[in-house]
Amino acid sequence: MEPFAESKLWLRATDLKQWAYCPRIVFYGYCMPLPHAPTPAMQAGRDLHERIECLERRRKLRAYHLSSGERQFEVALHSKQHGLSGKLDMLVTTALGRYPVDFKMTQGQPGENHRLQLAAYALMLEEQFACNIATGFIYLIPQRNAVIVPIDAGLRQQLHASLAAMRAMIRAERFPAAASEPGRCWDCEFKLFCNDVF
């Protein structure tokens, strides 16, 4: 894989989550920076993240099928090779390896957008700590359940394709299509700017 050139656009792990959810969120963030306030759902999610972090400090690692390990919270990460940065909710380090954990306020199973964000954290961890990440976890706050996510070749390929597509869209300032599921628009902070949807 060719190394990331400094002239290219750096992206955030959260951009991958937004890209898979609705590409227009990335467009507004990079091509048309607009003032926007966090939605009530976003603020509630941030508050719950803080509460979960406090609880995690006291819990065992049983939810992650690990007998022991050291937790680190709000781990700042970056990758020069991939032009990525981000802040991981929790990193669990054991004698067998490192495991990225991303907390999510979502019902049901994690979506493609959540898995892509977790894969981005895995790539950054691999570069920053010179290690291999084979598995990560998405901790679903409402269900109090950790879902195992294999960081496999297919997910990595999807991640690289998404990074390339995002950079191409930003360079061309091309307005993308709306989210594939209209229900995603209702609590979006940018919904007032999408005149073809509302």
Side-chain angles (χ1 to χ4, degrees):
M1 178 182 305
E2 78 177 63
F4 178 81
E6 288 299 325
S7 60
K8 292 183 182 176
L9 177 69
W10 276 72
L11 297 169
R12 300 174 300 254
T14 53
D15 294 330
L16 285 149
K17 177 187 72 172
Q18 304 292 19
W19 177 258
Y21 191 79
C22 177
R24 288 186 178 181
I25 298 173
V26 179
F27 175 86
Y28 289 132
Y30 286 89
C31 301
M32 254 180 86
L34 296 164
H36 62 281
T39 65
M42 291 166 66
Q43 188 56 53
R46 287 176 190 163
D47 294 343
L48 267 173
H49 266 65
E50 293 175 12
R51 184 166 177 267
I52 292 300
E53 183 178 323
C54 290
L55 291 171
E56 279 290 335
R57 291 179 187 278
R58 300 194 307 263
R59 290 175 175 160
K60 296 189 181 297
L61 292 166
R62 199 173 306 126
Y64 309 101
H65 309 284
L66 300 170
S67 57
S68 63
E70 177 191 345
R71 290 179 175 94
Q72 293 171 265
F73 296 94
E74 300 289 316
V75 182
L77 299 170
H78 68 277
S79 165
K80 287 185 178 179
Q81 182 180 352
H82 302 290
L84 277 170
S85 65
K87 189 177 283 188
L88 176 62
D89 290 332
M90 186 172 78
L91 172 63
V92 180
T93 303
T94 74
L96 299 176
R98 299 177 194 271
Y99 302 89
V101 181
D102 199 14
F103 303 146
K104 291 299 176 196
M105 254 305 294
T106 188
Q107 299 289 343
Q109 289 300 301
E112 172 194 359
N113 56 332
H114 302 132
R115 293 173 191 274
L116 281 172
Q117 184 180 7
L118 187 68
Y121 292 132
L123 261 61
M124 290 186 279
L125 285 168
E126 288 178 336
E127 182 174 332
Q128 207 155 315
F129 292 98
C131 64
N132 292 318
I133 306 291
T135 304
F137 297 91
I138 295 175
Y139 185 83
L140 302 173
I141 296 172
Q143 294 98 313
R144 299 181 183 180
N145 179 42
V147 176
I148 299 171
V149 178
I151 311 298
D152 57 21
L155 184 57
R156 291 170 186 266
Q157 185 177 6
Q158 191 178 2
L159 168 61
H160 292 303
S162 296
L163 288 172
M166 278 194 287
R167 290 190 173 109
M169 182 271 293
I170 293 166
R171 278 196 301 270
E173 296 186 357
R174 184 178 63 250
F175 191 55
S180 56
E181 298 176 28
R184 294 178 176 178
C185 302
W186 289 107
D187 60 354
C188 176
E189 70 261 47
F190 295 112
K191 69 180 178 182
L192 297 179
F193 299 100
C194 291
N195 291 329
D196 58 337
V197 177
F198 288 95

